[in-house]
Amino acid sequence: MSTDEDESVDINQHDNDSDEKCNAADEFEDMREQMRRGHRGVFNISPGAKMDKITTLRAAFTPPRSPGVRLRGIRSELLERRIAQIMRQILIYHSQV
């Protein structure tokens, strides 16, 4: 090969390298943009659609049920009511004096 051919090959190689770098930079920017804003159409065909209000956690949740039996006895409830009544009477008496 002559030196003219070597120079033309080097120039072509340089053009190819710079084109590949530009394409790689563009692909990197596209990939970066997709990571930032998400890829359109991956999860949803229409990006303007509203999201569902229910999640899998909410759908699986069941509210706690009452045990169906008394947790406190009748006497303890009556005692608590009587003490509250006595306290009210004491407060009313002291507020009038």
Side-chain angles (χ1 to χ4, degrees), residues 47-72:
K50 299 275 186 193
M51 284 181 42
D52 289 338
K53 300 278 184 193
I54 190 123
T55 62
T56 55
L57 181 66
R58 284 184 186 233
F61 177 75
T62 56
R65 291 182 283 156
S66 66
V69 295
R70 292 181 71 87
L71 298 176
R72 294 180 60 194

mmCIF file with all atom_site columns, all heavy atoms in Angstrom, residues 47-72:
data_model
loop_
_atom_site.group_PDB
_atom_site.id
_atom_site.type_symbol
_atom_site.label_atom_id
_atom_site.label_alt_id
_atom_site.label_comp_id
_atom_site.label_asym_id
_atom_site.label_entity_id
_atom_site.label_seq_id
_atom_site.pdbx_PDB_ins_code
_atom_site.Cartn_x
_atom_site.Cartn_y
_atom_site.Cartn_z
_atom_site.occupancy
_atom_site.B_iso_or_equiv
_atom_site.pdbx_formal_charge
_atom_site.auth_seq_id
_atom_site.auth_comp_id
_atom_site.auth_asym_id
_atom_site.auth_atom_id
_atom_site.pdbx_PDB_model_num
ATOM 1   N N   . PRO A 1 47 ? -49.865 6.666   28.593 1.00 0.00 ? 47 PRO A N   1
ATOM 2   C CA  . PRO A 1 47 ? -49.167 7.272   29.734 1.00 0.00 ? 47 PRO A CA  1
ATOM 3   C C   . PRO A 1 47 ? -50.018 8.274   30.507 1.00 0.00 ? 47 PRO A C   1
ATOM 4   O O   . PRO A 1 47 ? -49.724 8.561   31.643 1.00 0.00 ? 47 PRO A O   1
ATOM 5   C CB  . PRO A 1 47 ? -47.964 7.963   29.100 1.00 0.00 ? 47 PRO A CB  1
ATOM 6   C CG  . PRO A 1 47 ? -48.149 7.920   27.644 1.00 0.00 ? 47 PRO A CG  1
ATOM 7   C CD  . PRO A 1 47 ? -49.247 6.976   27.327 1.00 0.00 ? 47 PRO A CD  1
ATOM 8   N N   . GLY A 1 48 ? -51.082 8.791   29.922 1.00 0.00 ? 48 GLY A N   1
ATOM 9   C CA  . GLY A 1 48 ? -51.925 9.753   30.618 1.00 0.00 ? 48 GLY A CA  1
ATOM 10  C C   . GLY A 1 48 ? -52.992 9.109   31.483 1.00 0.00 ? 48 GLY A C   1
ATOM 11  O O   . GLY A 1 48 ? -53.782 9.797   32.112 1.00 0.00 ? 48 GLY A O   1
ATOM 12  N N   . ALA A 1 49 ? -53.046 7.784   31.547 1.00 0.00 ? 49 ALA A N   1
ATOM 13  C CA  . ALA A 1 49 ? -54.092 7.087   32.302 1.00 0.00 ? 49 ALA A CA  1
ATOM 14  C C   . ALA A 1 49 ? -53.892 7.284   33.805 1.00 0.00 ? 49 ALA A C   1
ATOM 15  O O   . ALA A 1 49 ? -52.783 7.419   34.294 1.00 0.00 ? 49 ALA A O   1
ATOM 16  C CB  . ALA A 1 49 ? -54.073 5.601   31.972 1.00 0.00 ? 49 ALA A CB  1
ATOM 17  N N   . LYS A 1 50 ? -54.992 7.300   34.547 1.00 0.00 ? 50 LYS A N   1
ATOM 18  C CA  . LYS A 1 50 ? -54.946 7.437   35.995 1.00 0.00 ? 50 LYS A CA  1
ATOM 19  C C   . LYS A 1 50 ? -54.557 6.102   36.631 1.00 0.00 ? 50 LYS A C   1
ATOM 20  O O   . LYS A 1 50 ? -54.908 5.038   36.148 1.00 0.00 ? 50 LYS A O   1
ATOM 21  C CB  . LYS A 1 50 ? -56.313 7.851   36.532 1.00 0.00 ? 50 LYS A CB  1
ATOM 22  C CG  . LYS A 1 50 ? -56.799 9.159   36.010 1.00 0.00 ? 50 LYS A CG  1
ATOM 23  C CD  . LYS A 1 50 ? -56.258 10.268  36.827 1.00 0.00 ? 50 LYS A CD  1
ATOM 24  C CE  . LYS A 1 50 ? -56.885 11.575  36.351 1.00 0.00 ? 50 LYS A CE  1
ATOM 25  N NZ  . LYS A 1 50 ? -56.219 12.701  36.856 1.00 0.00 ? 50 LYS A NZ  1
ATOM 26  N N   . MET A 1 51 ? -53.834 6.201   37.753 1.00 0.00 ? 51 MET A N   1
ATOM 27  C CA  . MET A 1 51 ? -53.454 4.991   38.476 1.00 0.00 ? 51 MET A CA  1
ATOM 28  C C   . MET A 1 51 ? -54.627 4.506   39.322 1.00 0.00 ? 51 MET A C   1
ATOM 29  O O   . MET A 1 51 ? -55.473 5.292   39.739 1.00 0.00 ? 51 MET A O   1
ATOM 30  C CB  . MET A 1 51 ? -52.268 5.281   39.396 1.00 0.00 ? 51 MET A CB  1
ATOM 31  C CG  . MET A 1 51 ? -50.973 5.376   38.661 1.00 0.00 ? 51 MET A CG  1
ATOM 32  S SD  . MET A 1 51 ? -49.541 5.682   39.717 1.00 0.00 ? 51 MET A SD  1
ATOM 33  C CE  . MET A 1 51 ? -49.826 4.642   41.098 1.00 0.00 ? 51 MET A CE  1
ATOM 34  N N   . ASP A 1 52 ? -54.659 3.221   39.583 1.00 0.00 ? 52 ASP A N   1
ATOM 35  C CA  . ASP A 1 52 ? -55.670 2.668   40.473 1.00 0.00 ? 52 ASP A CA  1
ATOM 36  C C   . ASP A 1 52 ? -55.376 3.116   41.893 1.00 0.00 ? 52 ASP A C   1
ATOM 37  O O   . ASP A 1 52 ? -54.233 3.283   42.286 1.00 0.00 ? 52 ASP A O   1
ATOM 38  C CB  . ASP A 1 52 ? -55.663 1.142   40.416 1.00 0.00 ? 52 ASP A CB  1
ATOM 39  C CG  . ASP A 1 52 ? -56.198 0.616   39.103 1.00 0.00 ? 52 ASP A CG  1
ATOM 40  O OD1 . ASP A 1 52 ? -56.934 1.357   38.447 1.00 0.00 ? 52 ASP A OD1 1
ATOM 41  O OD2 . ASP A 1 52 ? -55.876 -0.531  38.752 1.00 0.00 ? 52 ASP A OD2 1
ATOM 42  N N   . LYS A 1 53 ? -56.430 3.307   42.674 1.00 0.00 ? 53 LYS A N   1
ATOM 43  C CA  . LYS A 1 53 ? -56.270 3.736   44.064 1.00 0.00 ? 53 LYS A CA  1
ATOM 44  C C   . LYS A 1 53 ? -55.905 2.565   44.971 1.00 0.00 ? 53 LYS A C   1
ATOM 45  O O   . LYS A 1 53 ? -55.391 2.751   46.052 1.00 0.00 ? 53 LYS A O   1
ATOM 46  C CB  . LYS A 1 53 ? -57.553 4.378   44.573 1.00 0.00 ? 53 LYS A CB  1
ATOM 47  C CG  . LYS A 1 53 ? -57.975 5.587   43.808 1.00 0.00 ? 53 LYS A CG  1
ATOM 48  C CD  . LYS A 1 53 ? -57.231 6.781   44.285 1.00 0.00 ? 53 LYS A CD  1
ATOM 49  C CE  . LYS A 1 53 ? -57.757 8.012   43.549 1.00 0.00 ? 53 LYS A CE  1
ATOM 50  N NZ  . LYS A 1 53 ? -56.921 9.138   43.706 1.00 0.00 ? 53 LYS A NZ  1
ATOM 51  N N   . ILE A 1 54 ? -56.200 1.360   44.543 1.00 0.00 ? 54 ILE A N   1
ATOM 52  C CA  . ILE A 1 54 ? -55.968 0.191   45.393 1.00 0.00 ? 54 ILE A CA  1
ATOM 53  C C   . ILE A 1 54 ? -54.609 -0.425  45.082 1.00 0.00 ? 54 ILE A C   1
ATOM 54  O O   . ILE A 1 54 ? -54.186 -0.471  43.950 1.00 0.00 ? 54 ILE A O   1
ATOM 55  C CB  . ILE A 1 54 ? -57.101 -0.839  45.235 1.00 0.00 ? 54 ILE A CB  1
ATOM 56  C CG1 . ILE A 1 54 ? -56.981 -1.932  46.280 1.00 0.00 ? 54 ILE A CG1 1
ATOM 57  C CG2 . ILE A 1 54 ? -57.095 -1.441  43.879 1.00 0.00 ? 54 ILE A CG2 1
ATOM 58  C CD1 . ILE A 1 54 ? -58.209 -2.033  47.097 1.00 0.00 ? 54 ILE A CD1 1
ATOM 59  N N   . THR A 1 55 ? -53.934 -0.843  46.129 1.00 0.00 ? 55 THR A N   1
ATOM 60  C CA  . THR A 1 55 ? -52.649 -1.518  45.961 1.00 0.00 ? 55 THR A CA  1
ATOM 61  C C   . THR A 1 55 ? -52.812 -2.960  46.421 1.00 0.00 ? 55 THR A C   1
ATOM 62  O O   . THR A 1 55 ? -53.830 -3.332  46.998 1.00 0.00 ? 55 THR A O   1
ATOM 63  C CB  . THR A 1 55 ? -51.562 -0.840  46.810 1.00 0.00 ? 55 THR A CB  1
ATOM 64  O OG1 . THR A 1 55 ? -51.930 -0.930  48.195 1.00 0.00 ? 55 THR A OG1 1
ATOM 65  C CG2 . THR A 1 55 ? -51.391 0.619   46.412 1.00 0.00 ? 55 THR A CG2 1
ATOM 66  N N   . THR A 1 56 ? -51.810 -3.767  46.198 1.00 0.00 ? 56 THR A N   1
ATOM 67  C CA  . THR A 1 56 ? -51.898 -5.162  46.636 1.00 0.00 ? 56 THR A CA  1
ATOM 68  C C   . THR A 1 56 ? -51.938 -5.245  48.156 1.00 0.00 ? 56 THR A C   1
ATOM 69  O O   . THR A 1 56 ? -52.610 -6.114  48.712 1.00 0.00 ? 56 THR A O   1
ATOM 70  C CB  . THR A 1 56 ? -50.702 -5.970  46.104 1.00 0.00 ? 56 THR A CB  1
ATOM 71  O OG1 . THR A 1 56 ? -49.486 -5.325  46.498 1.00 0.00 ? 56 THR A OG1 1
ATOM 72  C CG2 . THR A 1 56 ? -50.750 -6.073  44.596 1.00 0.00 ? 56 THR A CG2 1
ATOM 73  N N   . LEU A 1 57 ? -51.252 -4.312  48.838 1.00 0.00 ? 57 LEU A N   1
ATOM 74  C CA  . LEU A 1 57 ? -51.277 -4.315  50.298 1.00 0.00 ? 57 LEU A CA  1
ATOM 75  C C   . LEU A 1 57 ? -52.676 -3.985  50.817 1.00 0.00 ? 57 LEU A C   1
ATOM 76  O O   . LEU A 1 57 ? -53.191 -4.651  51.713 1.00 0.00 ? 57 LEU A O   1
ATOM 77  C CB  . LEU A 1 57 ? -50.265 -3.312  50.844 1.00 0.00 ? 57 LEU A CB  1
ATOM 78  C CG  . LEU A 1 57 ? -50.163 -3.235  52.352 1.00 0.00 ? 57 LEU A CG  1
ATOM 79  C CD1 . LEU A 1 57 ? -49.625 -4.550  52.910 1.00 0.00 ? 57 LEU A CD1 1
ATOM 80  C CD2 . LEU A 1 57 ? -49.281 -2.094  52.765 1.00 0.00 ? 57 LEU A CD2 1
ATOM 81  N N   . ARG A 1 58 ? -53.304 -2.979  50.220 1.00 0.00 ? 58 ARG A N   1
ATOM 82  C CA  . ARG A 1 58 ? -54.662 -2.622  50.637 1.00 0.00 ? 58 ARG A CA  1
ATOM 83  C C   . ARG A 1 58 ? -55.655 -3.725  50.309 1.00 0.00 ? 58 ARG A C   1
ATOM 84  O O   . ARG A 1 58 ? -56.588 -3.976  51.053 1.00 0.00 ? 58 ARG A O   1
ATOM 85  C CB  . ARG A 1 58 ? -55.108 -1.336  49.965 1.00 0.00 ? 58 ARG A CB  1
ATOM 86  C CG  . ARG A 1 58 ? -54.506 -0.109  50.557 1.00 0.00 ? 58 ARG A CG  1
ATOM 87  C CD  . ARG A 1 58 ? -55.073 1.117   49.890 1.00 0.00 ? 58 ARG A CD  1
ATOM 88  N NE  . ARG A 1 58 ? -54.391 2.292   50.357 1.00 0.00 ? 58 ARG A NE  1
ATOM 89  C CZ  . ARG A 1 58 ? -55.008 3.340   50.859 1.00 0.00 ? 58 ARG A CZ  1
ATOM 90  N NH1 . ARG A 1 58 ? -56.301 3.367   50.917 1.00 0.00 ? 58 ARG A NH1 1
ATOM 91  N NH2 . ARG A 1 58 ? -54.320 4.369   51.269 1.00 0.00 ? 58 ARG A NH2 1
ATOM 92  N N   . ALA A 1 59 ? -55.495 -4.361  49.179 1.00 0.00 ? 59 ALA A N   1
ATOM 93  C CA  . ALA A 1 59 ? -56.420 -5.420  48.780 1.00 0.00 ? 59 ALA A CA  1
ATOM 94  C C   . ALA A 1 59 ? -56.303 -6.626  49.708 1.00 0.00 ? 59 ALA A C   1
ATOM 95  O O   . ALA A 1 59 ? -57.289 -7.311  49.983 1.00 0.00 ? 59 ALA A O   1
ATOM 96  C CB  . ALA A 1 59 ? -56.152 -5.829  47.345 1.00 0.00 ? 59 ALA A CB  1
ATOM 97  N N   . ALA A 1 60 ? -55.109 -6.890  50.215 1.00 0.00 ? 60 ALA A N   1
ATOM 98  C CA  . ALA A 1 60 ? -54.891 -8.058  51.059 1.00 0.00 ? 60 ALA A CA  1
ATOM 99  C C   . ALA A 1 60 ? -55.236 -7.796  52.530 1.00 0.00 ? 60 ALA A C   1
ATOM 100 O O   . ALA A 1 60 ? -55.343 -8.732  53.316 1.00 0.00 ? 60 ALA A O   1
ATOM 101 C CB  . ALA A 1 60 ? -53.436 -8.515  50.954 1.00 0.00 ? 60 ALA A CB  1
ATOM 102 N N   . PHE A 1 61 ? -55.409 -6.518  52.904 1.00 0.00 ? 61 PHE A N   1
ATOM 103 C CA  . PHE A 1 61 ? -55.658 -6.185  54.308 1.00 0.00 ? 61 PHE A CA  1
ATOM 104 C C   . PHE A 1 61 ? -57.064 -6.573  54.719 1.00 0.00 ? 61 PHE A C   1
ATOM 105 O O   . PHE A 1 61 ? -58.038 -6.296  54.025 1.00 0.00 ? 61 PHE A O   1
ATOM 106 C CB  . PHE A 1 61 ? -55.468 -4.684  54.536 1.00 0.00 ? 61 PHE A CB  1
ATOM 107 C CG  . PHE A 1 61 ? -55.782 -4.250  55.934 1.00 0.00 ? 61 PHE A CG  1
ATOM 108 C CD1 . PHE A 1 61 ? -54.907 -4.528  56.961 1.00 0.00 ? 61 PHE A CD1 1
ATOM 109 C CD2 . PHE A 1 61 ? -56.966 -3.588  56.228 1.00 0.00 ? 61 PHE A CD2 1
ATOM 110 C CE1 . PHE A 1 61 ? -55.189 -4.128  58.255 1.00 0.00 ? 61 PHE A CE1 1
ATOM 111 C CE2 . PHE A 1 61 ? -57.265 -3.195  57.509 1.00 0.00 ? 61 PHE A CE2 1
ATOM 112 C CZ  . PHE A 1 61 ? -56.371 -3.464  58.525 1.00 0.00 ? 61 PHE A CZ  1
ATOM 113 N N   . THR A 1 62 ? -57.169 -7.227  55.868 1.00 0.00 ? 62 THR A N   1
ATOM 114 C CA  . THR A 1 62 ? -58.474 -7.499  56.462 1.00 0.00 ? 62 THR A CA  1
ATOM 115 C C   . THR A 1 62 ? -58.491 -6.836  57.834 1.00 0.00 ? 62 THR A C   1
ATOM 116 O O   . THR A 1 62 ? -57.556 -7.007  58.619 1.00 0.00 ? 62 THR A O   1
ATOM 117 C CB  . THR A 1 62 ? -58.725 -9.009  56.629 1.00 0.00 ? 62 THR A CB  1
ATOM 118 O OG1 . THR A 1 62 ? -57.668 -9.575  57.390 1.00 0.00 ? 62 THR A OG1 1
ATOM 119 C CG2 . THR A 1 62 ? -58.815 -9.703  55.289 1.00 0.00 ? 62 THR A CG2 1
ATOM 120 N N   . PRO A 1 63 ? -59.522 -6.064  58.147 1.00 0.00 ? 63 PRO A N   1
ATOM 121 C CA  . PRO A 1 63 ? -59.547 -5.383  59.443 1.00 0.00 ? 63 PRO A CA  1
ATOM 122 C C   . PRO A 1 63 ? -59.648 -6.396  60.582 1.00 0.00 ? 63 PRO A C   1
ATOM 123 O O   . PRO A 1 63 ? -60.223 -7.477  60.416 1.00 0.00 ? 63 PRO A O   1
ATOM 124 C CB  . PRO A 1 63 ? -60.789 -4.499  59.364 1.00 0.00 ? 63 PRO A CB  1
ATOM 125 C CG  . PRO A 1 63 ? -61.601 -5.056  58.267 1.00 0.00 ? 63 PRO A CG  1
ATOM 126 C CD  . PRO A 1 63 ? -60.674 -5.769  57.337 1.00 0.00 ? 63 PRO A CD  1
ATOM 127 N N   . PRO A 1 64 ? -59.083 -6.075  61.733 1.00 0.00 ? 64 PRO A N   1
ATOM 128 C CA  . PRO A 1 64 ? -59.142 -7.009  62.856 1.00 0.00 ? 64 PRO A CA  1
ATOM 129 C C   . PRO A 1 64 ? -60.579 -7.222  63.322 1.00 0.00 ? 64 PRO A C   1
ATOM 130 O O   . PRO A 1 64 ? -61.379 -6.287  63.343 1.00 0.00 ? 64 PRO A O   1
ATOM 131 C CB  . PRO A 1 64 ? -58.299 -6.341  63.942 1.00 0.00 ? 64 PRO A CB  1
ATOM 132 C CG  . PRO A 1 64 ? -58.028 -4.969  63.491 1.00 0.00 ? 64 PRO A CG  1
ATOM 133 C CD  . PRO A 1 64 ? -58.336 -4.879  62.047 1.00 0.00 ? 64 PRO A CD  1
ATOM 134 N N   . ARG A 1 65 ? -60.901 -8.436  63.659 1.00 0.00 ? 65 ARG A N   1
ATOM 135 C CA  . ARG A 1 65 ? -62.247 -8.769  64.125 1.00 0.00 ? 65 ARG A CA  1
ATOM 136 C C   . ARG A 1 65 ? -62.276 -8.764  65.646 1.00 0.00 ? 65 ARG A C   1
ATOM 137 O O   . ARG A 1 65 ? -61.275 -9.040  66.300 1.00 0.00 ? 65 ARG A O   1
ATOM 138 C CB  . ARG A 1 65 ? -62.652 -10.148 63.617 1.00 0.00 ? 65 ARG A CB  1
ATOM 139 C CG  . ARG A 1 65 ? -62.857 -10.162 62.107 1.00 0.00 ? 65 ARG A CG  1
ATOM 140 C CD  . ARG A 1 65 ? -63.303 -11.503 61.642 1.00 0.00 ? 65 ARG A CD  1
ATOM 141 N NE  . ARG A 1 65 ? -62.130 -12.376 61.640 1.00 0.00 ? 65 ARG A NE  1
ATOM 142 C CZ  . ARG A 1 65 ? -62.150 -13.693 61.722 1.00 0.00 ? 65 ARG A CZ  1
ATOM 143 N NH1 . ARG A 1 65 ? -63.291 -14.314 61.811 1.00 0.00 ? 65 ARG A NH1 1
ATOM 144 N NH2 . ARG A 1 65 ? -61.046 -14.396 61.703 1.00 0.00 ? 65 ARG A NH2 1
ATOM 145 N N   . SER A 1 66 ? -63.446 -8.448  66.198 1.00 0.00 ? 66 SER A N   1
ATOM 146 C CA  . SER A 1 66 ? -63.584 -8.492  67.655 1.00 0.00 ? 66 SER A CA  1
ATOM 147 C C   . SER A 1 66 ? -63.607 -9.959  68.098 1.00 0.00 ? 66 SER A C   1
ATOM 148 O O   . SER A 1 66 ? -64.044 -10.835 67.346 1.00 0.00 ? 66 SER A O   1
ATOM 149 C CB  . SER A 1 66 ? -64.856 -7.774  68.094 1.00 0.00 ? 66 SER A CB  1
ATOM 150 O OG  . SER A 1 66 ? -65.978 -8.474  67.617 1.00 0.00 ? 66 SER A OG  1
ATOM 151 N N   . PRO A 1 67 ? -63.175 -10.224 69.327 1.00 0.00 ? 67 PRO A N   1
ATOM 152 C CA  . PRO A 1 67 ? -63.105 -11.625 69.762 1.00 0.00 ? 67 PRO A CA  1
ATOM 153 C C   . PRO A 1 67 ? -64.468 -12.278 69.966 1.00 0.00 ? 67 PRO A C   1
ATOM 154 O O   . PRO A 1 67 ? -64.574 -13.490 69.974 1.00 0.00 ? 67 PRO A O   1
ATOM 155 C CB  . PRO A 1 67 ? -62.329 -11.559 71.075 1.00 0.00 ? 67 PRO A CB  1
ATOM 156 C CG  . PRO A 1 67 ? -62.436 -10.157 71.530 1.00 0.00 ? 67 PRO A CG  1
ATOM 157 C CD  . PRO A 1 67 ? -62.627 -9.315  70.312 1.00 0.00 ? 67 PRO A CD  1
ATOM 158 N N   . GLY A 1 68 ? -65.522 -11.487 70.127 1.00 0.00 ? 68 GLY A N   1
ATOM 159 C CA  . GLY A 1 68 ? -66.860 -12.072 70.277 1.00 0.00 ? 68 GLY A CA  1
ATOM 160 C C   . GLY A 1 68 ? -67.213 -12.390 71.719 1.00 0.00 ? 68 GLY A C   1
ATOM 161 O O   . GLY A 1 68 ? -68.327 -12.814 71.997 1.00 0.00 ? 68 GLY A O   1
ATOM 162 N N   . VAL A 1 69 ? -66.292 -12.196 72.627 1.00 0.00 ? 69 VAL A N   1
ATOM 163 C CA  . VAL A 1 69 ? -66.565 -12.409 74.060 1.00 0.00 ? 69 VAL A CA  1
ATOM 164 C C   . VAL A 1 69 ? -66.149 -11.155 74.813 1.00 0.00 ? 69 VAL A C   1
ATOM 165 O O   . VAL A 1 69 ? -65.399 -10.331 74.312 1.00 0.00 ? 69 VAL A O   1
ATOM 166 C CB  . VAL A 1 69 ? -65.799 -13.636 74.618 1.00 0.00 ? 69 VAL A CB  1
ATOM 167 C CG1 . VAL A 1 69 ? -66.291 -14.911 73.982 1.00 0.00 ? 69 VAL A CG1 1
ATOM 168 C CG2 . VAL A 1 69 ? -64.317 -13.474 74.438 1.00 0.00 ? 69 VAL A CG2 1
ATOM 169 N N   . ARG A 1 70 ? -66.626 -11.018 76.047 1.00 0.00 ? 70 ARG A N   1
ATOM 170 C CA  . ARG A 1 70 ? -66.261 -9.852  76.851 1.00 0.00 ? 70 ARG A CA  1
ATOM 171 C C   . ARG A 1 70 ? -64.784 -9.913  77.212 1.00 0.00 ? 70 ARG A C   1
ATOM 172 O O   . ARG A 1 70 ? -64.268 -10.965 77.593 1.00 0.00 ? 70 ARG A O   1
ATOM 173 C CB  . ARG A 1 70 ? -67.078 -9.816  78.133 1.00 0.00 ? 70 ARG A CB  1
ATOM 174 C CG  . ARG A 1 70 ? -68.542 -9.558  77.926 1.00 0.00 ? 70 ARG A CG  1
ATOM 175 C CD  . ARG A 1 70 ? -69.265 -9.509  79.271 1.00 0.00 ? 70 ARG A CD  1
ATOM 176 N NE  . ARG A 1 70 ? -68.946 -8.330  80.041 1.00 0.00 ? 70 ARG A NE  1
ATOM 177 C CZ  . ARG A 1 70 ? -69.587 -7.168  79.913 1.00 0.00 ? 70 ARG A CZ  1
ATOM 178 N NH1 . ARG A 1 70 ? -70.573 -7.066  79.058 1.00 0.00 ? 70 ARG A NH1 1
ATOM 179 N NH2 . ARG A 1 70 ? -69.260 -6.139  80.648 1.00 0.00 ? 70 ARG A NH2 1
ATOM 180 N N   . LEU A 1 71 ? -64.142 -8.772  77.124 1.00 0.00 ? 71 LEU A N   1
ATOM 181 C CA  . LEU A 1 71 ? -62.745 -8.693  77.531 1.00 0.00 ? 71 LEU A CA  1
ATOM 182 C C   . LEU A 1 71 ? -62.603 -8.165  78.953 1.00 0.00 ? 71 LEU A C   1
ATOM 183 O O   . LEU A 1 71 ? -61.566 -8.371  79.589 1.00 0.00 ? 71 LEU A O   1
ATOM 184 C CB  . LEU A 1 71 ? -61.961 -7.792  76.555 1.00 0.00 ? 71 LEU A CB  1
ATOM 185 C CG  . LEU A 1 71 ? -61.910 -8.282  75.113 1.00 0.00 ? 71 LEU A CG  1
ATOM 186 C CD1 . LEU A 1 71 ? -61.192 -7.274  74.241 1.00 0.00 ? 71 LEU A CD1 1
ATOM 187 C CD2 . LEU A 1 71 ? -61.228 -9.633  75.026 1.00 0.00 ? 71 LEU A CD2 1
ATOM 188 N N   . ARG A 1 72 ? -63.664 -7.481  79.439 1.00 0.00 ? 72 ARG A N   1
ATOM 189 C CA  . ARG A 1 72 ? -63.690 -7.001  80.820 1.00 0.00 ? 72 ARG A CA  1
ATOM 190 C C   . ARG A 1 72 ? -64.962 -7.507  81.480 1.00 0.00 ? 72 ARG A C   1
ATOM 191 O O   . ARG A 1 72 ? -66.004 -7.626  80.851 1.00 0.00 ? 72 ARG A O   1
ATOM 192 C CB  . ARG A 1 72 ? -63.685 -5.475  80.845 1.00 0.00 ? 72 ARG A CB  1
ATOM 193 C CG  . ARG A 1 72 ? -62.397 -4.895  80.324 1.00 0.00 ? 72 ARG A CG  1
ATOM 194 C CD  . ARG A 1 72 ? -62.414 -3.399  80.363 1.00 0.00 ? 72 ARG A CD  1
ATOM 195 N NE  . ARG A 1 72 ? -62.605 -2.928  81.716 1.00 0.00 ? 72 ARG A NE  1
ATOM 196 C CZ  . ARG A 1 72 ? -62.925 -1.667  82.021 1.00 0.00 ? 72 ARG A CZ  1
ATOM 197 N NH1 . ARG A 1 72 ? -63.099 -0.800  81.058 1.00 0.00 ? 72 ARG A NH1 1
ATOM 198 N NH2 . ARG A 1 72 ? -63.068 -1.302  83.260 1.00 0.00 ? 72 ARG A NH2 1
#
